[in-house]
Amino acid sequence: MAAALIACACALAAAMLTCVAALAAFTARTSEKAHSAAAGSPCPGESLHPTAANVRAVDAATLCLINRLRSAHGLRSLRANRELRHVASSQVDTMVRRDYFADDRPTGQTPLSLVAITRYPVHSDGFAVGQNIAWGTGSDTTPAHIVEEWMASPPHREIMLSGEYRDAGVAVTPAVPAVLGSAGHGATYAIEFGVRLF
């Protein structure tokens, strides 16, 4: 009787280990599939180093990467917006030309005040904006690297993954402000996030 109980207990233990192993394998496969689905297909241009000839492709790749992350977090994609892109382009060009690196301009203009003078808020009861800026040199200038750095920074990540925003405009320039003291070729990025309140 004791031998039968031991044999039964051993068989039960073996069956349980088999189930646990099968469950672990299933969980790993499911997790891997979910990660692959969240990653999606690569964004065209995500590994480009910005040049004067490819900045539009870099802009598009940056927005694509952010939208892919938003999708993985259950958020809707941001729509590309011309007015917000114009503000982002003005921001990166002004930082390089006036030799500073900050969200607000030396004149005191904020991202909100810059968007306010565009057509973006027309026919709405109000609007809200957010901005991320970044710079890099050498191999750290690609959209993939810049978005990865923003994700690693809690305030930048919070803006990118905010469900509040609906629109975005991205711009990059293949230069960095001299004040940063960086050697070699570089790039400066800006993305303006916005939502119109109707």
Side-chain angles (χ1 to χ4, degrees):
M1 179 75 169
L5 285 175
I6 291 172
C8 185
C10 287
L12 183 59
M16 287 177 63
L17 286 174
T18 302
C19 287
V20 168
L23 180 60
F26 174 76
T27 303
R29 283 193 310 275
T30 303
S31 175
E32 190 176 301
K33 284 180 184 175
H35 178 71
S36 296
S41 59
C43 291
E46 68 182 48
S47 298
L48 287 174
H49 296 280
T51 66
N54 70 10
V55 291
R56 286 301 188 120
V58 171
D59 296 347
T62 305
L63 185 56
C64 174
L65 288 165
I66 290 169
N67 278 336
R68 198 166 68 186
L69 285 166
R70 288 174 63 86
S71 178
H73 286 84
L75 299 167
R76 71 173 64 179
S77 292
L78 299 167
R79 298 175 299 231
N81 180 275
R82 185 178 55 212
E83 287 85 10
L84 295 177
R85 187 197 174 286
H86 177 73
V87 171
S89 180
S90 172
Q91 182 72 340
V92 294
D93 291 344
T94 303
M95 283 192 287
V96 170
R97 187 171 29 83
R98 300 214 38 207
D99 196 22
Y100 73 97
F101 184 78
D103 288 314
D104 297 344
R105 295 189 179 180
T107 58
Q109 291 171 295
T110 65
L112 184 68
S113 68
L114 293 169
V115 174
I117 59 175
T118 69
R119 292 190 49 77
Y120 185 74
V122 172
H123 304 300
S124 68
D125 291 334
F127 67 101
V129 300
Q131 175 180 266
N132 281 354
I133 58 174
W135 65 278
T137 59
S139 62
D140 295 339
T141 62
T142 66
H145 179 79
I146 295 297
V147 171
E148 184 179 310
E149 291 298 318
W150 280 334
M151 282 297 285
S153 164
H156 295 95
R157 177 188 171 99
E158 183 179 346
I159 291 171
M160 286 195 312
L161 298 182
S162 169
E164 173 183 10
Y165 299 118
R166 298 290 179 260
D167 308 303
V170 182
V172 62
T173 189
V176 294
V179 70
L180 297 173
S182 59
H185 299 290
T188 305
Y189 284 72
I191 179 168
E192 309 298 327
F193 299 85
V195 61
R196 287 178 271 230
L197 310 171
F198 295 99

